[in-house]
Amino acid sequence: MKTVGEVMARDLVTLSEEVALTEAAAAMNARHVGSALVVRDERLIGILTERDVLHAVGAGRIGDRVADWMTKHPESVD
């Protein structure tokens, strides 16, 4: 069985919680990924997905910050 380290991606998209959703969506699009990790002081505090951005667009709130739509305290492994 493979370890997490053997199958995980290492070049991940990371964002600050203060970034605008439009900027976050552009970063995710440029890298062709469906999610970005949200970090503060090099610690994971959330994850933003394409679905989160879609919900914001549907609500007419695309001008919001990442912190307003991210999933907080995602499960993770070391």
Side-chain angles (χ1 to χ4, degrees):
M1 177 175 276
K2 292 185 177 187
T3 67
V4 172
E6 292 172 330
V7 297
M8 67 180 247
R10 298 193 184 277
D11 189 25
L12 306 173
V13 175
T14 59
L15 305 167
S16 162
E17 64 196 302
E18 299 301 321
V19 169
L21 278 178
T22 52
E23 185 178 338
M28 291 164 54
N29 184 54
R31 295 280 301 282
H32 305 285
V33 297
S35 62
L37 301 178
V38 184
V39 295
R40 180 190 311 139
D41 299 325
E42 297 184 23
R43 294 187 55 109
L44 178 66
I45 62 166
I47 186 168
L48 183 76
T49 67
E50 290 172 320
R51 190 166 182 89
D52 297 325
V53 175
L54 182 60
H55 285 236
V57 169
R61 295 182 48 196
I62 195 63
D64 285 359
R65 304 170 309 138
V66 166
D68 299 323
W69 292 94
M70 70 182 188
T71 299
K72 298 175 183 168
H73 313 294
E75 302 265 342
S76 64
V77 295
D78 293 329

